[in-house]
Amino acid sequence: MYVRRLLTSALGTVSLALGLLGAGTATATPAAADPCGFYETGSDAYCNHCTSDGSHVVIKVEVALAPDYERCVGPGRTWLGSADRIQGAHYAGRTC
C-alpha cells in the first residue's frame, strides 16, 4: 500500500548523514534509493512502484483543488506532477 512520506523524515535522514560527515567519517555513503510508494522532493511528487515481478498497478492520485484520478504505473519511479498540486497517491487494489 502506498503511503504518504513526510518531508521531515527525509530531512532527518539528511541531517543524520551530514552529522556523520561532520564527525570525521572518512568515507562517503552512496545516495539513498528512491523510497517505495508516494514521496515528494522539494518541487515534485513521485510514485515509486517497487516490484520484482514487473507488474503494473493502478494508483489513486489525490490532487489539491481538482478531482482525484487513477493512473496505471509500471515498475520504478513515475513523476506525478508538482508537489504543490499532488497531495498523495496510494495503491487502488488492482493491476492494469
Side-chain angles (χ1 to χ4, degrees):
M1 181 174 171
Y2 288 99
V3 228
R4 185 178 181 132
R5 308 238 183 231
L6 298 176
L7 181 58
T8 54
S9 131
L11 291 175
T13 302
V14 170
S15 296
L16 176 61
L18 290 176
L20 289 175
L21 289 174
T25 303
T27 59
T29 57
D34 296 331
C36 296
F38 175 78
Y39 69 96
E40 296 176 341
T41 64
S43 58
D44 296 302
Y46 295 92
C47 175
N48 188 19
H49 175 42
C50 298
T51 182
S52 59
D53 66 4
S55 64
H56 288 64
V57 296
V58 177
I59 61 169
K60 182 173 183 177
V61 181
E62 300 164 2
V63 185
L65 303 174
D68 296 346
Y69 64 90
E70 290 186 344
R71 179 172 180 177
C72 179
V73 296
R77 182 175 75 166
T78 301
W79 183 75
L80 300 176
S82 166
D84 292 337
R85 185 165 186 252
I86 305 300
Q87 296 180 319
H90 62 272
Y91 175 56
R94 62 188 188 280
T95 58
C96 52

